[in-house]
């Protein structure tokens, strides 16, 4: 399982810190301090790509709307198809709200 590569004390601390955030404003403040705008943009772009892929959008439409490269779209597609179902879990929860 790929998720085992992620495990470690430093990542546990990061994820625990993220879980302590109470609302969107706290997320903005924390991520503004901890990551570059480019890093945050890349992560949010991947989530949008995953959402569009699961909705059945074509690579061409996704590339145009998100400005993601086809390499990024392919990587997200691989994660959706062969990953740990993290994208699907989050997208399902987002659609419930």
């Amino acid at each position: 399982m790929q998720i085992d590569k992620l495990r470690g004390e430093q990542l546990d601390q990061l994820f625990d810190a993220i879980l302590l955030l109470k609302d969107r404003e706290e997320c903005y403040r924390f991520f503004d301090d901890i990551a570059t705008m480019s890093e945050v943009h890349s992560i949010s772009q991947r989530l949008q790509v995953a959402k569009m892929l699961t909705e059945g959008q074509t690579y061409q439409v996704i590339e145009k709307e998100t400005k993601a490269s086809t390499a990024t779209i392919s990587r997200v597609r691989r994660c959706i198809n062969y990953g740990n179902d993290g994208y699907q879990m989050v997208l399902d929860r987002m659609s419930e709200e």
Side-chain angles (χ1 to χ4, degrees), residues 6-82:
L6 283 178
R7 305 237 184 245
E9 187 177 339
Q10 287 181 340
L11 277 173
D12 286 351
Q13 289 176 8
L14 172 63
F15 295 153
D16 289 346
I18 291 169
L19 291 169
L20 292 172
L21 299 171
K22 295 178 180 152
D23 56 30
R24 187 177 290 156
E25 184 57 33
E26 286 188 3
C27 287
Y28 275 110
R29 291 172 51 199
F30 180 70
F31 281 93
D32 186 47
D33 285 348
I34 200 166
T36 66
M37 285 304 300
S38 178
E39 290 165 334
V40 174
H41 173 73
S42 293
I43 293 168
S44 65
Q45 181 187 62
R46 288 182 199 132
L47 182 59
Q48 184 62 30
V49 167
K51 182 177 185 288
M52 294 178 77
L53 283 169
T54 60
E55 292 171 347
Q57 297 293 329
T58 65
Y59 276 40
Q60 185 178 28
V61 169
I62 295 169
E63 190 175 14
K64 182 179 179 183
E65 287 191 27
T66 67
K67 308 292 188 250
S69 68
T70 55
T72 296
I73 298 168
S74 294
R75 180 182 183 280
V76 172
R77 162 78 71 205
R78 269 192 314 278
C79 289
I80 290 170
N81 291 339
Y82 307 109

